[in-house]
């Protein structure tokens, strides 16, 4: 399974390189959009551009070919739209939705767990084909996460191709330790896919280490972006 994931990610890597508040409600909708209500907002948008309502910057848009990550199917897609988004803030963006409009249509991009100071390549939510043209508006909303997305109470270490070791660094029992990770490509040092994967440890005893074999995790092609924990003194 790991080799299959690794092959898909490497394929995506090779092909990738060739890859205001009034609109907030609209960003939750996929159908029935009245484009005439949007066109008047702006004549054109040139990338890169700051995404209104967020800490994010839309750097560029490009065609993408490879596994479609966003819905978890990993089905092969060709020439769909991919938006390169940079988190310019000092805090992780826990969730985000972005809409990029042109005169007679729009793209929707969704992502979660975007680390501060990092770029993620988000595939268009519906797998819409890439198109060149004049964009007229780029808006979005965000939900910020914690300032320290990865807790200092645990360490996560990569071992072998698809193994990670989670170590409880405290003298407390930790419950529901959730490790979040995303696909990572280096070069060009970007996350790929708005989707974030998660593996959970129900109970981690004081100073205990536990080996995990997370789904869709491959050393060198995945990266931990957040760790959430619950602490209790009782078992």
């Amino acid at each position: 399974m790991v080799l299959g994931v690794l092959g898909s990610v490497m394929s995506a890597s090779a092909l990738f390189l060739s890859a205001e508040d009034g609109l907030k409600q609209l960003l939750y909708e996929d159908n029935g959009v009245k484009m005439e209500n949007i066109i008047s907002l702006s004549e054109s948008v040139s990338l890169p551009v700051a995404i209104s309502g967020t800490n994010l910057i839309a750097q560029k848009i490009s065609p993408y070919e490879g596994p479609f990550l966003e819905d978890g199917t990993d089905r092969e897609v060709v020439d769909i739209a991919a938006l390169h988004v940079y988190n310019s803030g000092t805090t992780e963006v826990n969730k985000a939705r972005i809409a990029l409009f042109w005169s007679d249509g729009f793209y929707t991009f969704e992502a979660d767990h975007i680390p501060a100071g990092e770029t993620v390549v988000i595939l268009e939510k519906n797998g819409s084909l890439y198109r060149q043209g004049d964009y007229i508006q780029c808006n979005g909303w965000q939900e910020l996460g914690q300032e320290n997305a990865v807790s200092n109470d645990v360490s996560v270490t990569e071992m072998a191709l698809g193994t990670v070791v989670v170590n409880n660094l405290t003298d407390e029992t930790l419950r529901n330790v959730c490790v979040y990770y995303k696909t990572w490509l280096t070069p060009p040092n970007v996350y790929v896919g708005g989707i974030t994967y998660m593996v959970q440890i129900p109970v981690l005893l004081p100073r205990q280490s536990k080996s995990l074999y997370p789904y869709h995790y491959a050393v060198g092609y995945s990266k931990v972006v957040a760790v959430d924990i619950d602490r209790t003194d009782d078992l």
Side-chain angles (χ1 to χ4, degrees):
M1 182 184 71
V2 171
L3 291 177
V5 171
L6 184 59
S8 294
V9 173
M10 292 180 69
S11 173
S13 176
L15 294 169
F16 162 76
L17 293 177
S18 66
E20 252 130 328
D21 295 338
L23 283 179
K24 186 173 291 186
Q25 182 176 355
L26 174 62
L27 298 178
Y28 289 91
E29 301 173 359
D30 292 320
N31 301 301
V33 178
K34 295 183 178 180
M35 300 307 300
E36 61 267 24
N37 295 333
I38 300 166
I39 295 174
S40 62
L41 294 177
S42 179
E43 292 183 358
S44 65
V45 169
S46 297
L47 303 183
V49 65
I51 300 171
S52 177
T54 75
N55 296 336
L56 305 173
I57 297 173
Q59 298 175 314
K60 64 179 179 178
I61 190 166
S62 66
Y64 169 91
E65 182 176 344
F68 187 70
L69 306 176
E70 309 301 9
D71 62 358
T73 63
D74 289 347
R75 69 185 188 274
E76 290 296 314
V77 293
V78 178
D79 290 340
I80 69 168
L83 188 65
H84 303 231
V85 176
Y86 174 73
N87 180 359
S88 66
T90 59
T91 303
E92 173 198 62
V93 172
N94 192 41
K95 292 182 181 179
R97 185 160 183 165
I98 302 162
L100 182 62
F101 300 92
W102 59 92
S103 61
D104 58 355
F106 68 101
Y107 289 135
T108 303
F109 301 92
E110 294 181 345
D112 52 30
H113 294 288
I114 306 174
E118 300 285 358
T119 295
V120 59
V121 181
I122 310 170
L123 312 184
E124 206 282 330
K125 176 186 176 182
N126 302 303
S128 300
L129 292 176
Y130 169 78
R131 56 158 283 166
Q132 291 181 318
D134 294 328
Y135 302 109
I136 60 173
Q137 191 72 10
C138 185
N139 286 77
W141 63 265
Q142 67 180 11
E143 174 188 292
L144 295 179
Q146 299 179 355
E147 189 165 339
N148 296 317
V150 179
S151 173
N152 293 325
D153 292 335
V154 299
S155 65
V156 182
T157 306
E158 293 182 331
M159 302 288 291
L161 274 178
T163 307
V164 296
V165 177
V166 181
N167 183 31
N168 182 353
L169 302 177
T170 77
D171 295 322
E172 302 176 37
T173 295
L174 306 180
R175 291 188 180 274
N176 300 322
V177 179
C178 298
V179 179
Y180 298 88
Y181 54 98
K182 300 177 77 72
T183 299
W184 170 257
L185 294 181
T186 179
N189 298 329
V190 297
Y191 294 95
V192 177
I195 188 172
T196 305
Y197 307 98
M198 186 271 284
V199 61
Q200 184 180 54
I201 305 173
V203 176
L204 195 61
L205 299 177
R207 304 294 171 179
Q208 181 184 13
S209 295
K210 189 161 187 177
S211 296
L212 304 174
Y213 310 93
Y215 167 75
H216 220 290
Y217 193 101
V219 173
Y221 294 92
S222 301
K223 201 170 182 179
V224 172
V225 292
V227 178
D228 288 339
I229 61 173
D230 291 332
R231 287 176 299 206
T232 179
D233 291 328
D234 301 321
L235 287 174

